[in-house]
Amino acid sequence: MKFLNSLPRDKADTLLLLGSAVLVLAPHTAHLPLWVSLLCAATLAWRAAVTLRGKRMPSTLVLLPIAVAAMAGIQFSYQTLIGRDAGVAMLVLLVAFKMLEMHARRDLYVVIFLCIFLVLTNFFYAQGIGTAVLMVAAVLALLTTQMSFQFTATVPSLRARLAMGARMLLFAAPIAVVLFFVFPRLGSPLWGMPGGAGSGGKSGLSERMAPGEMSSLAMSDEPAFRVRFEGPVPPKEQLYWRGLVLDAFDGRAWTRGGSIATRSGTSLSVRGPAQRYEITLEPSETRWLFTLEMAGHMPELPGYRASVSHQFELSTDRPLAERVRYRMISYPDYALDGREALDDPNQWLLLPYGYNPQALAAGLALRKEPLPARRIALVLRRFREQPYSYTLEPPLLGRHSVDEFLYSTRAGFCEHYSGAFVFLMRAAGIPARVVTGYQGGEANPLDGYVTVRQSDAHAWAEVWLRGRGWIRVDPTAAVAPERIRRNLAAAVERPAPFGIDALRGLSLFEPGADSLLGRMRNAFGAINNGWNQWVLNYTPERQRGFLQELGASLAGWRVAGLIMLGAGVLLLGRIFYLRREIDPIEAVYSSLCKRLAQLGLARAADEGPTAYAARIAASQQLVPPSREAAAEFLRRFSAWRYAPPQPGPHQAATRQLAATLKRLLSQVR
């Protein structure tokens, strides 16, 4: 602030505008091509150097080829000049180039208004609370800059101008809040317009599972969804969030589509108490909905049509490009296809020819055991008793991936164990399939929500037993029971904090909720979740419900009267604030002009104080003492208005001059 206050006014205002533009432009570097960000930074640095050194601005002959080349670069990078991403990139470059073409006051305001529009475009890519706070700071800086250009005489300090801008924002905040709740909301977000090839949400779980793919997803701590239970949170070993069913194996990867619906369909019977909860699902590029096993009804999602497959996979008719919220009821005690025989069990027994001969022979050997449940127990005992390990960094596998895992490496993640288990079950004559989803979740004691992260991604197996139906079997629990009872961090060794082994094991850096980092993450998670629930998830449906409830509550005249009284108080406060903010010297000058106009000497619109004083001195409509008082008034006012800015505090001098002008005003009759 001291540096800006020490510069000449034109340089200080220009640098303030550059700083405000940086606040607006900086977040765009996360999605812009690198060359656009570098060109923008170089252009702003060029403008700052021109300002500080007092050099001439570059000519149009220099700027025009750069601008044309930049537009050609946009076309090359995005293959179009139309659309969200290409349009934002062009607008960013336009603001940067306009900085080198500011020759009049009008150009300054053009840059400010372009920056305000760019503030809105930041929300095309992120709507988190951090982005909102940064954009409020950017608007405050732009508002301060605009006020700085409008001062004609003594300019307050930067701190005082920032305080004035903050007060203006505070007075505008109630209007913004009212508009947020009552202004009609779009059915689809503005950021849903067509974008470039690089746009899109998080991918999440895939419809394909190969060794090593899910372990890479488990390294992400990004939230997949949040859950709020109506009652107590179930134990973690019961939190299996069902997603996709993979029933086809090609020798390398498990995929969907290996089975079809049977003639008799899929039956579901539920028993015992139900779990009622609400899921807030983060945006993704997929259509899959996740529910606690086993969902008892179809979810309702405004704007989407939900459906269920014959393997009880819930999905929507289009990708979930925005955050959605839906209520569910699930029954932990259920029987899926719990009958005596499947219509076509062979479709869950298929295995590719020529792959994994050792595992195939082991599965065939299991058929000697007459009881299917006994065959399952033998495989789980193998995982439990033999030296298998659970790791995020499993060795690479070749053509016979199941054989290499079972008899050679014996180290893997959940996809290794579930895939090998289902292979052995099919070879043993038991219908089996892989289920992927999430397991567990972290309860936040601050807001009561359970956060399920990408690191909770999990794969388990389902086997069909006569009279019992499809039952869940998790072979990972036989190798790493802590993964199911607690979380992934308790089952595998995570990388050392900041890559420093000496920090491993310190309570400060432990991932648990009781550590400092855990408490900080819970606090930030609760704030971010509140923002998501009450701001970002304020959909048109919620708005209609809110307005209906508001209309019912406003039926009484007392409530309506209180609201009108509150609005009146706010309006009076606003008027008082505006009157208080008028410069006292300008107010006295305005009073003099009004008094002289009443005496027949009205000031012309284009008449300055010096010319006005000369006309009054030549006039005979005032007595000599009044003419002298008016001339002295205008001389002092003209000297104050056109004086160069003075450093340091000037409130006392302003009050003294205002008192002198009021005394002279009283002598004009």
Side-chain angles (χ1 to χ4, degrees):
M1 290 186 180
K2 292 181 179 180
F3 173 71
L4 286 178
N5 290 331
S6 65
L7 292 174
R9 178 175 173 183
D10 58 340
K11 292 185 177 182
D13 290 347
T14 302
L15 291 179
L16 183 59
L17 177 60
L18 287 172
S20 303
V22 168
L23 281 177
V24 178
L25 298 176
H28 284 291
T29 59
H31 60 83
L32 289 174
L34 180 61
W35 71 267
V36 174
S37 301
L38 293 178
L39 180 58
C40 183
T43 305
L44 296 179
W46 187 1
R47 185 63 176 90
V50 168
T51 301
L52 291 174
R53 296 180 181 180
K55 301 294 184 180
R56 292 176 59 86
M57 301 277 275
S59 66
T60 305
L61 295 177
V62 176
L63 294 178
L64 186 58
I66 298 176
V68 172
M71 294 304 103
I74 295 294
Q75 173 67 35
F76 177 79
S77 297
Y78 295 98
Q79 302 301 312
T80 182
L81 294 178
I82 302 174
R84 182 192 68 182
D85 295 341
V88 170
M90 287 193 294
L91 191 58
V92 166
L93 290 174
L94 175 62
V95 169
F97 293 156
K98 189 64 179 177
M99 292 287 187
L100 292 172
E101 206 231 347
M102 293 189 302
H103 301 291
R105 182 179 295 270
R106 176 182 61 85
D107 297 324
L108 302 174
Y109 294 129
V110 168
V111 172
I112 289 176
F113 295 145
L114 285 175
C115 287
I116 290 176
F117 186 79
L118 269 176
V119 166
L120 299 178
T121 63
N122 275 296
F123 292 103
F124 290 172
Y125 304 95
Q127 299 91 41
I129 191 170
T131 302
V133 171
L134 181 59
M135 291 304 100
V136 169
V139 170
L140 175 60
L142 290 170
L143 192 58
T144 303
T145 304
Q146 184 178 4
M147 287 190 301
S148 300
F149 289 134
Q150 292 176 331
F151 283 103
T152 58
T154 303
V155 181
S157 65
L158 180 58
R159 188 188 302 274
R161 282 175 280 160
L162 285 170
M164 293 172 61
R167 288 197 294 270
M168 293 180 68
L169 280 181
L170 287 177
F171 275 107
I175 301 176
V177 171
V178 172
L179 289 177
F180 173 80
F181 283 105
V182 303
F183 192 82
R185 306 187 72 81
L186 297 175
S188 59
L190 183 61
W191 52 87
M193 63 187 351
S199 62
K202 307 181 187 70
S203 59
L205 287 176
S206 170
E207 297 184 12
R208 179 181 185 273
M209 187 190 79
E213 292 184 353
M214 192 165 289
S215 57
S216 61
L217 180 64
M219 296 299 293
S220 172
D221 278 338
E222 290 289 329
F225 53 89
R226 292 180 171 88
V227 189
R228 180 174 59 85
F229 287 91
E230 292 189 5
V233 178
K236 283 193 174 182
E237 54 266 26
Q238 296 181 12
L239 297 180
Y240 279 85
W241 307 96
R242 187 184 187 88
L244 293 77
V245 177
L246 310 180
D247 50 12
F249 186 55
D250 60 5
R252 175 62 184 174
W254 290 89
T255 56
R256 297 183 65 251
S259 63
I260 59 175
T262 58
R263 296 187 305 273
S264 58
T266 303
S267 63
L268 174 67
S269 60
V270 297
R271 302 174 295 271
Q275 290 286 353
R276 301 176 183 271
Y277 55 95
E278 182 181 69
I279 289 182
T280 303
L281 188 63
E282 294 295 315
S284 70
E285 298 173 350
T286 67
R287 302 179 295 110
W288 305 109
L289 301 173
F290 300 93
T291 62
L292 198 63
E293 288 189 326
M294 183 62 71
H297 66 94
M298 193 76 70
E300 295 183 1
L301 291 85
Y304 294 90
R305 186 173 66 252
S307 60
V308 60
S309 72
H310 67 284
Q311 300 187 111
F312 266 70
E313 304 162 297
L314 292 176
S315 62
T316 57
D317 55 338
R318 56 189 175 90
L320 296 160
E322 57 191 356
R323 187 176 289 103
V324 296
R325 184 165 59 176
Y326 51 96
R327 295 180 178 273
M328 291 300 300
I329 300 176
S330 293
Y331 296 87
D333 189 3
Y334 64 91
L336 182 61
D337 275 340
R339 45 196 174 190
E340 291 301 313
L342 291 173
D343 291 340
D344 186 10
N346 291 328
Q347 57 184 337
W348 291 289
L349 294 172
L350 295 176
L351 290 173
Y353 177 78
Y355 288 89
N356 307 296
Q358 288 181 275
L360 181 61
L364 292 173
L366 288 173
R367 298 194 181 198
K368 298 177 182 179
E369 174 60 53
L371 296 177
R374 179 63 178 167
R375 302 175 206 169
I376 298 172
L378 288 174
V379 176
L380 294 178
R381 189 174 70 179
R382 175 191 180 95
F383 287 145
R384 188 181 303 111
E385 296 180 354
Q386 295 191 17
Y388 287 92
S389 62
Y390 187 69
T391 176
L392 282 171
E393 299 177 352
L396 295 177
L397 302 176
R399 171 181 171 85
H400 303 291
S401 57
V402 178
D403 281 355
E404 293 176 22
F405 165 66
L406 288 176
Y407 303 104
S408 179
T409 64
R410 299 193 179 191
F413 200 57
C414 59
E415 68 265 33
H416 297 75
Y417 290 98
S418 59
F421 179 82
V422 172
F423 187 97
L424 290 172
M425 290 297 100
R426 290 191 173 190
I430 301 176
R433 59 198 185 190
V434 176
V435 182
T436 62
Y438 297 88
Q439 196 283 322
E442 180 183 6
N444 192 330
L446 298 180
D447 60 3
Y449 278 80
V450 175
T451 301
V452 180
R453 306 182 183 277
Q454 297 295 348
S455 57
D456 296 316
H458 194 54
W460 59 94
E462 277 187 341
V463 296
W464 186 85
L465 298 178
R466 178 175 299 179
R468 298 178 60 185
W470 292 100
I471 63 173
R472 180 177 65 238
V473 179
D474 192 350
T476 301
V479 182
E482 288 300 307
R483 163 66 183 89
I484 308 303
R485 288 198 294 262
R486 296 178 60 187
N487 51 33
L488 180 65
V492 298
E493 186 176 22
R494 307 284 286 188
F498 310 108
I500 303 175
D501 289 332
L503 299 179
R504 194 189 303 275
L506 294 179
S507 60
L508 173 64
F509 299 102
E510 285 298 308
D514 294 333
S515 66
L516 176 60
L517 290 182
R519 292 194 296 270
M520 291 175 59
R521 186 165 76 164
N522 284 338
F524 179 76
I527 295 173
N528 192 54
N529 183 51
W531 173 265
N532 293 339
Q533 297 291 336
W534 299 105
V535 178
L536 299 186
N537 205 38
Y538 187 64
T539 60
E541 291 72 21
R542 294 187 67 188
Q543 185 185 50
R544 284 193 292 269
F546 168 75
L547 293 179
Q548 290 173 357
E549 294 179 3
L550 182 63
S553 63
L554 292 182
W557 63 269
R558 294 181 179 178
V559 177
L562 290 176
I563 292 180
M564 294 179 62
L565 178 61
V569 171
L570 289 176
L571 181 61
L572 290 176
R574 177 64 172 167
I575 295 174
F576 173 76
Y577 169 77
L578 290 176
R579 294 190 62 181
R580 187 171 58 87
E581 288 296 313
I582 296 177
D583 191 289
I585 297 177
E586 293 282 358
V588 180
Y589 176 64
S590 179
S591 299
L592 174 70
C593 293
K594 290 179 181 179
R595 180 168 300 182
L596 291 175
Q598 294 172 354
L599 298 175
L601 292 171
R603 183 178 68 87
D606 60 346
E607 196 172 23
T610 302
Y612 195 22
R615 183 160 63 89
I616 292 174
S619 172
Q620 300 300 320
Q621 295 177 252
L622 297 177
V623 296
S626 294
R627 285 201 304 270
E628 294 174 1
E632 179 65 14
F633 182 107
L634 293 171
R635 185 189 67 79
R636 289 176 177 266
F637 176 78
S638 180
W640 169 81
R641 165 169 283 187
Y642 301 111
Q646 301 295 327
H650 53 273
Q651 288 84 358
T654 301
R655 287 195 297 268
Q656 182 178 0
L657 177 60
T660 301
L661 294 180
K662 288 180 180 179
R663 178 177 55 80
L664 292 172
L665 175 63
S666 65
Q667 300 175 15
V668 178
R669 298 182 177 85

